[in-house]
Amino acid sequence: MSSVPASAFLALALILFCIGLYGALTKRNTVIVLISIELMLNAVNINLVTFSKYGMAPSITGQIFALFAITVAAAEAAVGLAILISLYQNRKTVNIDEMDSMKN
């Protein structure tokens, strides 16, 4: 049985994190920014699970941290979408450049 090396998982996490970082820093649509942040969090989860399996002392703690991070990411997505819906109802836009103040 051949196993996938840890470097493959780390490379995948690096690529996902870079794509997410690019999207979060360059895109002006708030939905795309939220999706990019989720990509970055998923890259962190891949690293946590990889190091829990291939680390110096393999244990389940990395997987527990990944499960906690997934829970936090789900809550972040729910709150972010609720804020986004509220902003869209008030301003009729999802463009980040047009959301520069809390007042209408």
Side-chain angles (χ1 to χ4, degrees), residues 45 48-49 61-73:
N45 288 337
L48 286 171
V49 173
T61 56
Q63 295 173 11
I64 292 171
F65 281 127
L67 185 61
F68 179 71
I70 290 170
T71 305
V72 170

Side-chain angles (χ1 to χ4, degrees), residues 1-102:
M1 178 177 143
S2 71
S3 179
V4 179
S7 60
F9 290 115
L10 295 177
L12 174 65
L14 175 69
I15 291 168
L16 283 177
F17 192 86
C18 289
I19 291 171
L21 185 64
Y22 174 78
L25 294 178
T26 61
K27 300 302 177 188
R28 297 294 169 229
N29 188 328
T30 31
V31 176
I32 301 299
V33 171
L34 285 173
I35 291 171
S36 299
I37 292 170
E38 292 294 325
L39 269 177
M40 292 166 53
L41 288 171
N42 284 330
V44 170
N45 288 337
I46 290 173
N47 281 335
L48 286 171
V49 173
T50 299
F51 285 119
S52 76
K53 181 176 182 192
Y54 294 104
M56 295 295 285
S59 65
I60 197 161
T61 56
Q63 295 173 11
I64 292 171
F65 281 127
L67 185 61
F68 179 71
I70 290 170
T71 305
V72 170
E76 174 262 334
V79 170
L81 287 175
I83 291 170
L84 181 65
I85 289 170
S86 176
L87 284 171
Y88 182 75
Q89 287 176 347
N90 290 333
R91 307 229 176 146
K92 302 295 185 231
T93 184
V94 292
N95 192 350
I96 291 176
D97 293 335
E98 296 174 17
M99 296 179 200
D100 57 354
S101 71
M102 297 294 283

